[in-house]
Amino acid sequence: MDHRRQGLLKGLLAAVTFGLSAPLVSTLISAGSPLALAGLLYGGSALALLTAMAVRGQSTQESSVKRQDLGMLALLTLLGGIAAPICLVSGLALLSAGSASLLLNLEAVFTMGIAVLIGREHLSGKGTAAAALIIAGALVIGSGTASGTTLHGAVFIALACLGWGIDNNISQRLSIRDPMQIALLKSVGASVPMMLLAGLTGARFPTPMEVVVLLAIGGIGYGLSIWLDLLALRELGAARESVIFATAPFVGAGFAVLALKEALSANMIASFVLMVVGVVLLLNEDHAHWHRHDEVWHEHKHLHNPGDQDQHHAHQHPNDEANGVRTDGPYWHSHPHRHEPIAHAHPHVSDGHHRHQH
């Protein structure tokens, strides 16, 4: 399975786990203050990731977070880990679970816009059409009063999506580092300040049983989802990953209708159709052309596969392993390395090695 298909699968799994979390959180929205609920969700994420790292042990394949990464990590934690979840919980209090879930598609729009306009990522005609369909779907559901949408609730959800859109683009740059470590640092950095502030301000906390449920939702819907999403960002780039992640609201809206017995409105059906067509368009995109890579030095997890058509990692190692291939074959590893200038053509996406002019 090539890295694009792997990224697609990881992105879809991230979308499913996060998509289920929004309607589940909506059932507990009256259990505590937005600050306490958001802090508990990221607390659950931190606990799940700490457990996963303890089971995995220290990775020799991944590049650890460096000192120069801390500024970006702090910014994505503030925007995506603190501000956005508080806005989400506030919006969920004013909307039906199904409407809120579908409005979360705005995250894909913000992520894509920032990636293309600022991050130098490229979208083909199909990608642009997919974005337009997703925007249309969000506008349809956002205008539907019958589905439980209110203006203030929609604004809160939109602000959450903007925060996550910025977060996704920063995370894509950091995804060359150990994704599990990044997800853990973000979760701890978000949960601890929110929990402390909630306690100091006398915010209302849920009951012990509700705390356990919120921690479990956070562990799967945030911890597992963030880790998988970082892996998808690494493989696909922020723009394409955002459209794959747009399947999350479909999962949430469907769960709200089937499990929470919410009404299925005409607006929700129309929005669902528009967004599904948008995602399908991107899945069928095949982007390939002649392009040039400039010289670059960086450190990340990589594989020296003689059959790799990308040919990005054909360098010698200090221990004289030719192209990083041992006698037992190629292996995943991480170290600082230099990319030689190269010009070639192959199918690619806007990952860390393919941000070039078109």
Side-chain angles (χ1 to χ4, degrees), residues 7 11 22 41 48 50 76 132 149 155 180 191 195 210-212 222 236 258 262 276 278 280 297 310 346:
L41 288 170
L50 276 171
L76 71 87
T149 301
V155 169
M180 191 173 290
S191 62
M195 295 296 288
E210 291 168 335
V211 167
V212 172
Y222 285 71
L236 301 175
L258 296 175
E262 289 194 358
V276 165
V280 170
W297 279 90
D310 289 4
H346 63 88

Side-chain angles (χ1 to χ4, degrees), residues 41-73:
L41 288 170
Y42 269 97
S45 173
L47 290 174
L49 290 165
L50 276 171
T51 303
M53 288 196 74
V55 172
R56 183 193 72 173
Q58 185 176 2
S59 174
T60 58
Q61 297 182 353
E62 296 284 359
S63 171
S64 299
V65 173
K66 310 299 180 185
R67 179 177 298 180
Q68 63 265 28
D69 303 324
L70 296 181
M72 287 193 295
L73 183 59

Side-chain angles (χ1 to χ4, degrees), residues 14 30 46 56 68 97 99 114 135 157 224 228 232 238 244 246 251 285 297 324 344:
S30 60
R56 183 193 72 173
Q68 63 265 28
S99 296
I114 295 169
I135 294 173
I157 298 296
L224 178 61
L228 289 169
I244 298 304
V251 175
E285 182 191 34
W297 279 90
H344 58 180

Side-chain angles (χ1 to χ4, degrees), residues 134-189:
I134 290 172
I135 294 173
L139 290 175
V140 168
I141 194 63
S143 63
T145 55
S147 61
T149 301
T150 68
L151 178 61
H152 289 163
V155 169
F156 275 123
I157 298 296
L159 288 174
C161 291
L162 176 60
W164 278 321
I166 299 172
D167 175 342
N168 288 334
N169 279 274
I170 298 173
S171 295
Q172 206 284 324
R173 298 304 197 267
L174 286 176
S175 63
I176 62 172
R177 308 301 185 205
D178 185 348
M180 191 173 290
Q181 185 184 25
I182 294 171
L184 175 60
L185 291 173
K186 175 183 177 180
S187 299
V188 172

Side-chain angles (χ1 to χ4, degrees), residues 251-270:
V251 175
F255 182 81
V257 171
L258 296 175
L260 303 183
K261 306 303 180 183
E262 289 194 358
L264 181 62
S265 68
N267 283 63
M268 289 180 67
I269 295 173

Side-chain angles (χ1 to χ4, degrees), residues 14 55 78 97 100 167 208 281 323 330:
V55 172
L78 177 62
D167 175 342
L281 273 178
N323 295 330

Side-chain angles (χ1 to χ4, degrees), residues 23 34 38 42 72-74 77 88 103 113 120 134 142 202 220 278-279 289 332:
Y42 269 97
M72 287 193 295
L73 183 59
T77 300
L88 172 66
L103 280 171
R120 295 179 55 205
I134 290 172
I220 298 173
V279 172
H289 63 90
W332 288 104

